[in-house]
Short mmCIF file of all heavy atoms in Angstrom, two decimals:
data_model
loop_
_atom_site.label_atom_id
_atom_site.label_comp_id
_atom_site.label_asym_id
_atom_site.label_seq_id
_atom_site.Cartn_x
_atom_site.Cartn_y
_atom_site.Cartn_z
N GLY A 306 187.43 98.45 56.22
CA GLY A 306 188.61 99.16 55.73
C GLY A 306 189.71 98.23 55.24
O GLY A 306 189.71 97.03 55.53
N ALA A 307 190.66 98.81 54.46
CA ALA A 307 191.87 98.06 54.06
C ALA A 307 193.07 98.61 54.81
O ALA A 307 193.94 97.89 55.27
CB ALA A 307 192.08 98.16 52.56
N SER A 308 193.11 99.95 54.94
CA SER A 308 194.20 100.57 55.71
C SER A 308 193.66 100.80 57.11
O SER A 308 193.24 101.88 57.46
CB SER A 308 194.64 101.88 55.06
OG SER A 308 193.56 102.80 55.02
N HIS A 421 194.91 100.79 48.21
CA HIS A 421 193.62 100.82 47.50
C HIS A 421 193.78 100.60 46.00
O HIS A 421 192.81 100.66 45.26
CB HIS A 421 192.90 102.15 47.72
CG HIS A 421 192.44 102.36 49.13
ND1 HIS A 421 191.94 103.55 49.59
CD2 HIS A 421 192.39 101.50 50.20
CE1 HIS A 421 191.61 103.44 50.87
NE2 HIS A 421 191.88 102.20 51.26
N GLN A 429 198.04 107.19 49.59
CA GLN A 429 196.83 106.41 49.31
C GLN A 429 195.74 107.18 48.55
O GLN A 429 195.09 106.63 47.67
CB GLN A 429 196.27 105.92 50.65
CG GLN A 429 194.98 105.13 50.58
CD GLN A 429 194.55 104.63 51.95
OE1 GLN A 429 195.12 103.69 52.48
NE2 GLN A 429 193.55 105.27 52.54
N GLU A 430 195.57 108.47 48.90
CA GLU A 430 194.44 109.20 48.31
C GLU A 430 194.85 110.60 47.87
O GLU A 430 195.36 111.38 48.69
CB GLU A 430 193.29 109.30 49.33
CG GLU A 430 192.80 107.93 49.76
CD GLU A 430 191.77 107.97 50.88
OE1 GLU A 430 191.09 108.99 51.06
OE2 GLU A 430 191.65 106.95 51.58
N GLU A 467 188.22 103.08 45.56
CA GLU A 467 187.32 104.19 45.88
C GLU A 467 186.91 104.98 44.64
O GLU A 467 186.50 106.14 44.73
CB GLU A 467 187.96 105.08 46.93
CG GLU A 467 188.21 104.31 48.23
CD GLU A 467 188.62 105.18 49.40
OE1 GLU A 467 188.92 106.36 49.21
OE2 GLU A 467 188.63 104.65 50.52
N ASP A 504 195.37 111.93 51.56
CA ASP A 504 195.41 111.00 52.69
C ASP A 504 196.62 110.09 52.46
O ASP A 504 196.62 109.26 51.55
CB ASP A 504 194.12 110.16 52.78
CG ASP A 504 194.18 109.16 53.95
OD1 ASP A 504 195.18 109.21 54.72
OD2 ASP A 504 193.26 108.34 54.08
N GLU A 532 195.81 114.12 55.57
CA GLU A 532 195.32 113.14 56.55
C GLU A 532 196.42 112.11 56.80
O GLU A 532 197.15 111.73 55.87
CB GLU A 532 194.07 112.49 55.95
CG GLU A 532 193.42 111.43 56.81
CD GLU A 532 192.22 110.80 56.07
OE1 GLU A 532 191.55 111.49 55.26
OE2 GLU A 532 191.97 109.61 56.29
N ASP A 557 193.08 110.24 61.26
CA ASP A 557 192.20 109.10 60.98
C ASP A 557 192.65 107.94 61.88
O ASP A 557 192.11 107.75 62.97
CB ASP A 557 192.28 108.76 59.48
CG ASP A 557 191.60 107.45 59.12
OD1 ASP A 557 190.87 106.90 59.95
OD2 ASP A 557 191.80 106.96 57.98
N LEU A 580 188.86 112.51 61.26
CA LEU A 580 188.09 111.72 60.31
C LEU A 580 187.20 110.80 61.15
O LEU A 580 187.69 110.13 62.06
CB LEU A 580 189.02 110.89 59.41
CG LEU A 580 188.32 110.40 58.15
CD1 LEU A 580 188.31 111.54 57.12
CD2 LEU A 580 189.00 109.19 57.55
N LYS A 582 184.75 107.60 61.38
CA LYS A 582 184.26 106.37 60.75
C LYS A 582 183.52 105.58 61.82
O LYS A 582 184.12 105.20 62.84
CB LYS A 582 185.44 105.54 60.25
CG LYS A 582 186.21 106.17 59.10
CD LYS A 582 187.55 105.46 58.96
CE LYS A 582 188.26 105.76 57.67
NZ LYS A 582 189.65 105.27 57.70
N SER A 609 183.40 109.90 57.04
CA SER A 609 184.06 109.11 55.99
C SER A 609 183.44 107.74 55.74
O SER A 609 182.99 107.06 56.67
CB SER A 609 185.53 108.92 56.38
OG SER A 609 186.19 108.08 55.48
N HIS A 610 183.48 107.35 54.49
CA HIS A 610 183.21 105.97 54.06
C HIS A 610 184.41 105.08 54.41
O HIS A 610 185.40 105.56 54.98
CB HIS A 610 183.01 105.97 52.52
CG HIS A 610 184.25 106.36 51.77
ND1 HIS A 610 184.47 106.08 50.44
CD2 HIS A 610 185.38 107.02 52.18
CE1 HIS A 610 185.64 106.53 50.06
NE2 HIS A 610 186.22 107.11 51.09
N ARG A 611 184.35 103.79 54.05
CA ARG A 611 185.53 102.92 54.11
C ARG A 611 185.84 102.46 52.69
O ARG A 611 184.98 102.53 51.81
CB ARG A 611 185.28 101.67 54.99
CG ARG A 611 184.96 101.92 56.43
CD ARG A 611 186.01 102.62 57.25
NE ARG A 611 187.37 102.18 57.17
CZ ARG A 611 188.14 101.85 58.22
NH1 ARG A 611 187.63 101.84 59.43
NH2 ARG A 611 189.41 101.55 58.07
N SER A 612 187.05 101.94 52.49
CA SER A 612 187.39 101.52 51.12
C SER A 612 186.52 100.34 50.67
O SER A 612 186.24 100.17 49.49
CB SER A 612 188.87 101.21 51.00
OG SER A 612 189.28 100.33 52.01
N LYS A 633 183.87 112.49 53.05
CA LYS A 633 184.82 111.80 52.17
C LYS A 633 184.13 110.53 51.70
O LYS A 633 183.81 109.66 52.50
CB LYS A 633 186.06 111.47 53.02
CG LYS A 633 187.28 111.12 52.23
CD LYS A 633 188.51 111.05 53.12
CE LYS A 633 188.81 109.62 53.50
NZ LYS A 633 190.25 109.34 53.67
C1 2PG B 870 190.96 105.97 54.91
C2 2PG B 870 189.91 105.00 54.43
C3 2PG B 870 188.82 105.60 53.60
P1 2PG B 870 190.19 102.45 54.58
O1 2PG B 870 192.11 105.59 55.16
O2 2PG B 870 190.66 107.13 55.17
O3 2PG B 870 189.26 106.35 52.51
O4 2PG B 870 190.46 103.87 53.86
O5 2PG B 870 188.73 102.27 54.66
O6 2PG B 870 190.88 101.43 53.71
O7 2PG B 870 190.81 102.54 55.94
#
Side-chain angles (χ1 to χ4, degrees):
S308 60
H421 292 171
Q429 178 177 284
E430 300 174 23
E467 298 190 349
D504 179 5
E532 180 183 329
D557 170 12
L580 198 81
K582 293 165 166 168
S609 175
H610 65 161
R611 298 299 312 233
S612 51
K633 197 170 98 148

